[in-house]
Amino acid sequence: MQLIFMGPPGAGKGTQAQLLATLWKIPHISTGDILRACVVAKTTLGQKAQAYMDAGDLVPDQLLMDIVQERMNQPDATAGWILDGFPRTVPQAAFFDTLLCDVGGGKSGKDCDLRAVNLDVPDNILVTRLLSRGRQDDNEQTIRRRLQVYREQTEPLIEFYRDRQQLVAVDGDRSMEEVTAQLQQALSVDS
């Protein structure tokens, strides 16, 4: 199973991805977690990424693509994975399609098992959720900027994957258990 979890910041992508990855015994690959670990470790990549993250902007494509490519080549990713936080733009999705083709022995992304799961949650709920997390980079101004960036740069992915008949839409404005159950049902039918 190859899943991309999409949705605005605070939609519950990370939580749901962790739950399902544990349940299905496949890795949860979170670019946000990888980036935060790089920032804490003060790696070169982390220092570059921190300036973008602090401003509420997306980390540039090339930095993310390098991280994802390295992670996808690790042995535990051969049986399947849940990717959280990548791709975030249509150019990243096109790159990812090429990467899947390389890793998957010549199959393109639209010919493989890939499903893009979109968790949809209203903005007012997202702001409340994000403020309650208490992360240093989660203040209301930064959150609203991140939501604006999401709408401008990431929402086009919904159409990208819908056009390829790979999109699974889920109402993320429910309890964690209800969203998990909805995801399990939708993905067992579609996979």
Side-chain angles (χ1 to χ4, degrees):
M1 184 168 293
Q2 299 173 338
L3 300 173
I4 295 170
F5 272 51
M6 302 186 315
K13 297 179 301 290
T15 300
Q16 293 299 329
Q18 286 176 338
L19 286 167
L20 294 175
T22 301
L23 183 68
W24 294 331
K25 296 176 178 38
I26 56 177
H28 167 220
I29 302 171
S30 166
T31 54
D33 289 348
I34 294 168
L35 285 171
R36 281 187 286 277
C38 290
V39 168
V40 169
K42 298 188 186 311
T43 66
T44 304
L45 174 62
Q47 291 171 352
K48 288 179 184 176
Q50 186 168 16
Y52 295 98
M53 293 164 64
D54 287 348
D57 292 329
L58 295 179
V59 174
D61 285 358
Q62 193 58 52
L63 286 177
L64 280 177
M65 288 185 232
D66 291 345
I67 288 172
V68 170
Q69 185 166 14
E70 182 178 296
R71 181 61 182 92
M72 297 301 290
N73 288 326
Q74 293 179 7
D76 68 335
T78 58
W81 36 261
I82 298 175
L83 190 55
D84 164 17
F86 185 89
R88 288 189 174 178
T89 64
V90 172
Q92 287 177 1
F95 161 80
F96 193 60
D97 188 54
T98 302
L99 177 62
L100 285 177
C101 185
D102 292 344
V103 172
K107 285 182 170 177
S108 72
K110 62 184 172 183
D111 294 329
C112 72
D113 249 359
L114 182 68
R115 294 284 180 259
V117 176
N118 184 50
L119 296 177
D120 191 30
V121 180
D123 282 2
N124 62 329
I125 302 294
L126 296 169
V127 171
T128 302
R129 285 183 185 180
L130 290 168
L131 286 172
S132 71
R133 288 196 311 197
R135 285 190 189 157
Q136 184 178 352
D137 61 338
D138 283 345
N139 62 62
E140 187 161 354
Q141 181 180 355
T142 303
I143 289 167
R144 294 216 180 265
R145 171 72 179 138
R146 287 168 58 202
L147 291 172
Q148 178 186 352
V149 168
Y150 171 80
R151 300 285 178 230
E152 292 168 0
Q153 298 183 21
T154 306
E155 269 191 347
L157 285 176
I158 294 169
E159 287 306 312
F160 178 86
Y161 288 113
R162 182 177 286 131
D163 289 348
R164 292 165 166 247
Q165 300 179 344
Q166 294 174 305
L167 185 69
V168 177
V170 173
D171 179 2
D173 187 19
R174 297 177 180 209
S175 73
M176 184 175 64
E177 296 79 11
E178 288 174 311
V179 173
T180 303
Q182 191 178 4
L183 284 166
Q184 287 177 292
Q185 181 179 15
L187 294 169
S188 67
V189 169
D190 290 333
S191 60

